[in-house]
Amino acid sequence: MVPRGSISGLLSSYDPKRLAVATVCSHTSLQIFDGARREGFRTIGICIGQPPRFYDAFPKAKPDMFFSVKSYKEIPARAAELASMNAVVVPHGSFVEYLGVAAFEGLRLPTFGNRRVLKWESDRDKQREWLVGAGLSMPEKIARPEDITKPVLVKFYGAKGGRGFFIAKNYEEFMEVNPTEKHTIQEYVIGTRYYMHFFYSPLVNRGYRLSRGSLELMSMDRRDEANIDEMYKLGAQERLKQFGILPTFVVTGNVPVVLRESLLPKAFWMGERTVERSFELFGGIIGPFSLECIVTDKLEFKVFEISARIVAGTNFFVRSSPYSDLREPEMSVGRRIAREMRLARRLKRLDAVLS
Ligand code: ATP
């Protein structure tokens, strides 16, 4: 982990008036660049080789300049070049995945958010400790395959977008796969999925206030997942298994959703508890995070995962969502991040949102 002092030192060499938002050209980069531009920041798109052509199709989201690398692993070695351009990194899921957690933690560039969250987020057991400790309900964890008495989902470690996961309804089905990779066995929760996008600001003291700072609900999505979402069209899963067609959970896109309004207080409570617990565990989450939940027919929430940064499900809401619109129109999560940086700069508290 890069020492906090060294990032503060680096920041003091920056010209605050010329901060540039830098991110990898993937995942949520369109809204990050569009949002940064609308808040008055210069933008740098980090790409592999030639600048990706698709930005020409989206001129409002095209970065002011591209910073080309041979591979993502080269970014840490070229951090000083980015620092000389006053670059502040806005991380997203692909950025952290391509670079690797350790390299991201050690990156010598100011990054939006608290890097200490990574240790808690990248390990499923740590996530459970955090969320259950916060009072949230999670799908039951099954310690040993022999204990499987109901349908389970077998998950592997690291954000893989559901790749390789499998469902087992009993011990025999688990043993048909018998994975050797590090995995966790989780109760398969039956209900409907809501991926809730929150933003925690340590700087804003109005709205839905917490013990310090405030919490905003930005939007919600549900993922399109191939092939489980559509495989019913070919017939029942059991029958398809005979032909070697198994359910997979590979994310292919996102659709917007809203939650039944009477569930909103519970949603806020969950977001609030998550943030409050994070203060105790690692000094606090900062900025965007997502609670990925299943709501059962008893209207209970089961959180199966937390993502501690901007998530791809927010891409739908590049202008606004039915929630963010009730606070301020035209506010995407990408723009909200840039707004927080702008506010921090004005208050001379960049240290409070960058690490
Ligand atoms: P990412 O890190 O990209 O969010 P991941 O690889 O960590 O993905 P999860 O988000 O944990 O995977 O799960 C992938 C999908 O599996 C979910 O989107 C959801 O559809 C389904 N899922 C996860 N946990 C459960 C559960 N306990 N019961 C039923 N379905 C689940």
Side-chain angles (χ1 to χ4, degrees):
M1 176 78 73
V2 65
R4 212 185 155 90
S6 77
I7 294 297
S8 306
L10 188 56
L11 257 180
S12 60
S13 71
Y14 275 31
D15 177 354
K17 287 195 280 309
R18 292 192 49 77
L19 291 186
V21 165
T23 200
V24 160
C25 292
S26 173
H27 194 269
T28 39
S29 63
L30 291 172
Q31 62 159 310
I32 292 174
F33 295 139
D34 170 66
R37 185 186 51 79
R38 287 198 283 153
E39 292 297 312
F41 291 102
R42 290 179 309 116
T43 51
I44 303 171
I46 304 169
C47 60
I48 302 282
Q50 290 298 316
R53 260 187 76 203
F54 78 92
Y55 286 98
D56 292 339
F58 305 113
K60 288 179 169 174
K62 186 172 176 174
D64 294 320
M65 64 167 286
F66 287 99
F67 183 83
S68 177
V69 290
K70 286 197 204 70
S71 85
Y72 292 115
K73 305 278 178 218
E74 195 187 291
I75 297 172
R78 296 189 54 195
E81 283 172 65
L82 285 162
S84 70
M85 293 182 257
N86 292 298
V88 171
V89 166
V90 172
H92 52 57
S94 302
F95 198 133
V96 178
E97 183 66 17
Y98 296 152
L99 207 60
V101 170
F104 182 77
E105 281 182 338
L107 190 62
R108 300 187 85 81
L109 281 170
T111 62
F112 187 81
N114 181 355
R115 287 188 220 208
R116 291 174 65 204
V117 73
L118 272 165
K119 185 172 133 224
W120 288 87
E121 188 219 14
S122 58
D123 178 317
R124 289 195 193 275
D125 292 326
K126 293 290 244 187
Q127 278 200 14
R128 186 169 284 270
E129 193 184 328
W130 175 6
L131 298 175
V132 172
L136 274 54
S137 179
M138 292 191 75
E140 185 191 338
K141 183 178 172 184
I142 287 114
R144 304 175 317 149
E146 294 80 0
D147 300 334
I148 300 175
T149 54
K150 54 185 162 188
V152 295
L153 188 61
V154 182
K155 299 181 168 191
F156 298 98
Y157 277 61
K160 294 183 166 50
R163 198 171 290 276
F165 288 15
F166 68 95
I167 299 171
K169 291 191 285 313
N170 47 43
Y171 176 64
E172 288 70 35
E173 286 190 3
F174 177 90
M175 288 311 286
E176 280 171 25
V177 182
N178 198 10
T180 48
E181 235 182 291
K182 193 172 178 193
H183 63 270
T184 184
I185 307 174
Q186 212 173 70
E187 163 197 16
Y188 189 93
V189 182
I190 300 171
T192 37
R193 292 169 295 130
Y194 295 87
Y195 301 69
M196 308 191 292
H197 317 140
F198 291 99
F199 189 97
Y200 168 68
S201 166
L203 303 176
V204 176
N205 280 312
R206 55 175 193 279
Y208 191 90
R209 294 173 66 174
L210 307 193
S211 63
R212 49 184 198 258
S214 65
L215 183 68
E216 298 168 23
L217 176 62
M218 301 299 296
S219 48
M220 287 185 206
D221 79 299
R222 174 171 307 151
R223 291 180 183 167
D224 273 338
E225 290 170 335
N227 57 18
I228 187 148
D229 289 348
E230 303 280 336
M231 69 187 296
Y232 69 92
K233 288 180 181 166
L234 277 179
Q237 273 187 28
E238 277 316 299
R239 190 146 160 61
L240 293 177
K241 214 170 166 181
Q242 296 166 7
F243 302 105
I245 303 174
L246 298 170
T248 50
F249 294 82
V250 178
V251 183
T252 56
N254 305 81
V255 287
V257 292
V258 287
L259 196 62
R260 185 176 161 154
E261 196 165 297
S262 59
L263 293 176
L264 280 180
K266 183 70 193 276
F268 270 98
W269 178 85
M270 288 164 54
E272 173 169 1
R273 286 302 312 142
T274 302
V275 175
E276 295 286 356
R277 184 75 187 129
S278 76
F279 294 149
E280 295 155 8
L281 293 176
F282 55 87
I285 193 166
I286 297 164
F289 68 98
S290 171
L291 292 178
E292 306 177 4
C293 317
I294 300 176
V295 180
T296 70
D297 58 2
K298 295 194 177 56
L299 300 182
E300 289 165 348
F301 284 83
K302 299 271 179 187
V303 188
F304 57 86
E305 166 135 63
I306 179 167
S307 292
R309 67 187 72 79
I310 186 169
V311 290
T314 61
N315 278 341
F316 184 86
F317 309 100
V318 71
R319 275 297 169 268
S320 62
S321 88
Y323 300 115
S324 65
D325 203 38
L326 299 176
R327 247 185 340 269
E328 179 176 340
E330 305 249 318
M331 187 56 77
S332 65
V333 174
R335 184 174 186 186
R336 185 64 191 82
I337 291 169
R339 173 68 62 87
E340 193 75 359
M341 278 174 53
R342 213 178 80 182
L343 177 62
R345 178 172 62 187
R346 183 163 61 77
L347 298 172
K348 299 201 174 2
R349 291 194 58 201
L350 279 167
D351 264 359
V353 296
L354 306 180
S355 68

